[in-house]
Amino acid sequence: MCDTCGCNVTEGNRHLIEGDGRLARTESGREAISVLQGLLSENDHIAAHNREHFDRHQVLALNLMSSPGSGKTRLLEETIAALKDEFRFAVVEGDLETENDAQRIRDKGVPAVQITTGTACHLDAHMVHNALHEIDLDQVDIVFVENVGNLVCPASFDLGQHRNVILLSVTEGDDKPAKYPVMFRAADLMLISKSDLLAVLDDFEPNRAERHLRELANRAPAFRVSARSGDGMQAWFDWLRSEFAALRERVQRGETMRPAIQPDGQLMHSHDDHAHDHAHDHGHGHAHTHHHHAAGHRHD
Amino acid sequence: MHELSVCQGLISQVEQIARREDAESVTRILLSVGPLSGVEPQLLADAFPIAAAGTVAEHARLDIESQPIRVKCDTCGAETDASANRLLCGSCGDFRTRLVSGDEMLLMSLELERRERA
């Protein structure tokens, strides 16, 4: 459980367990009060703040999630090399212990902030918020947040990103979307990475991986890419260009952009003080947007 | 394995509400946690005593209700049951559905013991 994996206390939530909740004891009756709030409303509050921050600087923020070793850093290295004259990048790296990934990015001439999570299994909005203080967003067009390699925990925490990009490498099983539905349901784009290895790994069937994604009612595009050979990278670059343009357009209209699927807390949160955040997302490229939010099954 | 993080967020909210309501203690917490929330109810229940220790919710009973996974089809309009990794329309089989329920991660209500007024 959490005590063993150690994700319980991070810098961002440490204060939550240091509250002074104790109250004097007296006699009185009981009362039930209705609350109806997302369980992560504090995280979601910071995430909304992060998103405003990105929007103000017209910076596209992408949350990269996958298993460990699926090629996130390699993808970023090649993306930076190919598009460095077109976009100004920055990278927030989540990693358990080392600075290695951040160093690889810096070697490409791009600012990278390492969040060393210790034994924590996910990034939360506080951690990203702290990292943003070290990045001059006026000098950036696209921020990649490379989440901790993990297909479970990161899915529950909104960081303030505009889109979720999920990598599935062909060295894994093509049934990963069926095994980790919460994660893959949240994908705005699925990249089937290391596709140059398909020639030797014939038990991975990309069409099957995509079918499992569709079975999660997910309409996101699925591209096969090889950062090593360059195959398929053009589609990924075009996706970046179109999402960047979409964000600019959205922000100029005073709106923002959100992942198609958001943890429930985000939905609840959007009813309070972050009014402009509530802008509906009807123009989303792949149409699935957050209809189920608009359906308002609980909060009306 | 992030359930303790989630639980700590919950306790923080509960403490805020208890302060606002001038409650002496919280006796019951009701959550709604769906199968597609990304949170395991049992792990949440296990983490609760650790997160609640020393707080106003220390002796609260934690109840977690679940919601069925239901989808509504964009193509044929049917609303049907589905499972976590198969969110297809139960009527026409189309994948263009949207979730009606099953991804909840909500604090529904609290039962409080009020502080006695002087």
Side-chain angles (χ1 to χ4, degrees):
Chain A
M1 210 201 56
C2 324
D3 258 352
T4 32
C5 97
C7 72
N8 46 359
V9 185
T10 66
E11 279 312 312
N13 67 17
R14 193 179 300 279
H15 66 286
L16 298 185
I17 58 168
E18 291 169 355
D20 62 335
R22 266 168 272 216
L23 294 169
R25 195 165 280 275
T26 54
E27 290 285 323
S28 184
R30 288 181 184 180
E31 191 173 335
I33 57 169
S34 173
V35 182
L36 214 65
Q37 238 172 44
L39 282 192
L40 286 169
S41 71
E42 179 149 334
N43 180 79
D44 297 337
H45 195 84
I46 308 285
H49 176 75
N50 290 349
R51 192 172 283 114
E52 282 173 23
H53 206 51
F54 291 128
D55 290 350
R56 199 175 317 124
H57 297 272
Q58 303 196 28
V59 170
L60 176 68
L62 302 172
N63 183 14
L64 258 67
M65 295 182 280
S66 75
S67 314
S70 64
K72 293 187 293 296
T73 310
R74 181 67 192 269
L75 177 83
L76 292 186
E77 287 176 312
E78 298 306 321
T79 303
I80 290 163
L83 302 181
K84 63 176 185 296
D85 295 331
E86 191 175 341
F87 295 114
R88 298 165 300 169
F89 294 103
V91 178
V92 175
E93 286 280 352
D95 208 347
L96 298 188
E97 284 300 341
T98 70
E99 282 254 344
N100 296 354
D101 286 354
Q103 195 51 51
R104 283 170 63 183
I105 299 298
R106 289 183 200 122
D107 290 345
K108 295 280 174 189
V110 160
V113 181
Q114 182 77 53
I115 301 173
T116 309
T117 60
T119 48
C121 48
H122 60 270
L123 295 180
D124 65 27
H126 300 88
M127 296 179 190
V128 171
H129 182 254
N130 291 341
L132 289 182
H133 287 153
E134 296 177 43
I135 296 175
D136 180 3
L137 288 181
D138 282 332
Q139 305 301 320
V140 173
D141 297 313
I142 298 178
V143 168
F144 291 108
V145 179
E146 189 181 330
N147 218 310
V148 179
N150 178 335
L151 287 175
V152 182
C153 308
S156 295
F157 296 84
D158 184 17
L159 307 177
Q161 74 274 21
H162 298 111
R163 293 286 185 253
N164 293 321
V165 178
I166 302 187
L167 275 73
L168 171 57
S169 73
V170 304
T171 57
E172 305 170 56
D174 54 26
D175 59 350
K176 277 278 167 77
K179 286 181 174 166
Y180 299 92
V182 176
M183 174 61 74
F184 282 89
R185 201 170 81 84
D188 296 296
L189 172 66
M190 180 168 83
L191 292 177
I192 298 175
S193 61
K194 306 188 185 181
S195 66
D196 53 302
L197 296 176
L198 277 171
V200 287
L201 294 168
D202 55 3
D203 49 347
F204 187 101
E205 180 47 65
N207 290 333
R208 204 153 50 209
E210 191 173 337
R211 200 185 69 228
H212 285 303
L213 185 71
R214 300 294 165 241
E215 285 174 355
L216 303 176
N218 191 328
R219 304 172 201 195
F223 301 148
R224 298 169 205 188
V225 297
S226 167
R228 185 159 73 173
S229 74
D231 277 354
M233 293 288 279
Q234 210 53 53
W236 155 240
F237 298 156
D238 287 343
W239 184 87
L240 283 177
R241 291 182 182 110
S242 88
E243 294 299 327
F244 182 71
L247 178 74
R248 285 261 152 129
E249 194 215 331
R250 216 62 82 75
V251 168
Q252 276 156 18
R253 289 204 309 259
E255 299 173 10
T256 187
M257 202 159 88
R258 296 160 175 286
I261 301 291
Q262 293 254 298
D264 220 4
Q266 186 60 42
L267 155 70
M268 306 304 298
H269 181 72
S270 62
H271 281 269
D272 60 26
D273 50 341
H274 289 268
H276 86 261
D277 248 87
H278 199 209
H280 284 276
D281 208 357
H282 297 304
H284 193 321
H286 40 280
H288 49 178
T289 60
H290 40 254
H291 300 292
H292 86 275
H293 294 177
H297 50 281
R298 284 177 296 277
H299 55 97
D300 46 12
Chain B
M1 283 175 296
H2 48 286
E3 278 77 3
L4 194 44
S5 293
V6 174
C7 233
Q8 282 155 354
L10 163 68
I11 292 294
S12 157
Q13 279 168 263
V14 168
E15 287 186 317
Q16 276 176 29
I17 295 163
R19 258 194 301 272
R20 190 187 71 205
E21 300 291 325
D22 201 21
E24 181 193 3
S25 66
V26 176
T27 51
R28 178 172 181 252
I29 299 173
L30 176 63
L31 308 182
S32 179
V33 174
L36 279 171
S37 67
V39 171
E40 274 307 313
Q42 188 54 54
L43 292 182
L44 208 54
D46 291 346
F48 181 74
I50 301 166
T55 74
V56 70
E58 184 164 16
H59 301 292
R61 191 174 95 217
L62 180 70
D63 288 326
I64 305 176
E65 59 177 31
S66 189
Q67 301 291 331
I69 298 178
R70 300 273 295 167
V71 296
K72 185 165 168 51
C73 182
D74 276 355
T75 305
C76 78
E79 192 183 307
T80 51
D81 287 328
S83 65
N85 58 12
R86 215 175 150 78
L87 300 169
L88 306 177
C89 174
S91 177
C92 74
D94 202 289
F95 78 94
R96 281 161 292 192
T97 66
R98 54 209 157 84
L99 204 67
V100 175
S101 73
D103 66 342
E104 301 77 11
M105 185 162 52
L106 296 174
L107 170 55
M108 302 296 288
S109 67
L110 296 180
E111 268 176 31
L112 305 171
E113 199 116 27
R114 291 270 184 187
R115 203 191 289 269
E116 201 177 78
R117 305 262 173 203

